[in-house]
Amino acid sequence: RTYGETSLWCSTERYKLIISINDIDVWELYDLQADPTEMHNLYGQKEYEPVVTELKAELARLQEQYNDPVRFSPDRDKE
């Protein structure tokens, strides 16, 4: 789990959640086992909501841990 330079992201061995720094409303989720080249964004698909919830919480935890000035609420983008 780590941060990218032009975006914030966190991952597990299977999934990667990305949020664009430049446009905070753009999220991406990839299944790294089924899609290792990250070509098919799964964000917004109902069956992946538990994964997104878990990774958003982890990203928020990492932002707190590293005192990241760019913060978001895991509940912010609930639809």
Side-chain angles (χ1 to χ4, degrees), residues 53-65:
T53 299
E54 176 186 339
L55 290 176
K56 279 186 176 183
E58 177 63 9
L59 183 57
R61 187 193 69 74
L62 288 168
Q63 288 182 290
E64 180 70 28
Q65 178 180 337

Side-chain angles (χ1 to χ4, degrees), residues 17-44:
L17 181 71
I18 305 167
I19 182 171
S20 170
I21 290 175
N22 297 327
D23 185 354
I24 203 161
D25 293 324
V26 176
W27 290 89
E28 299 170 67
L29 175 70
Y30 297 101
D31 181 334
L32 300 174
Q33 289 178 2
D35 180 21
T37 58
E38 301 176 18
M39 300 297 290
H40 304 286
N41 185 2
L42 303 173
Y43 189 85

Side-chain angles (χ1 to χ4, degrees), residues 4-22:
E5 290 188 16
T6 59
S7 59
L8 301 176
W9 58 276
C10 68
S11 64
T12 63
E13 287 189 26
R14 178 149 189 192
Y15 295 102
K16 182 177 184 180
L17 181 71
I18 305 167
I19 182 171
S20 170
I21 290 175
N22 297 327

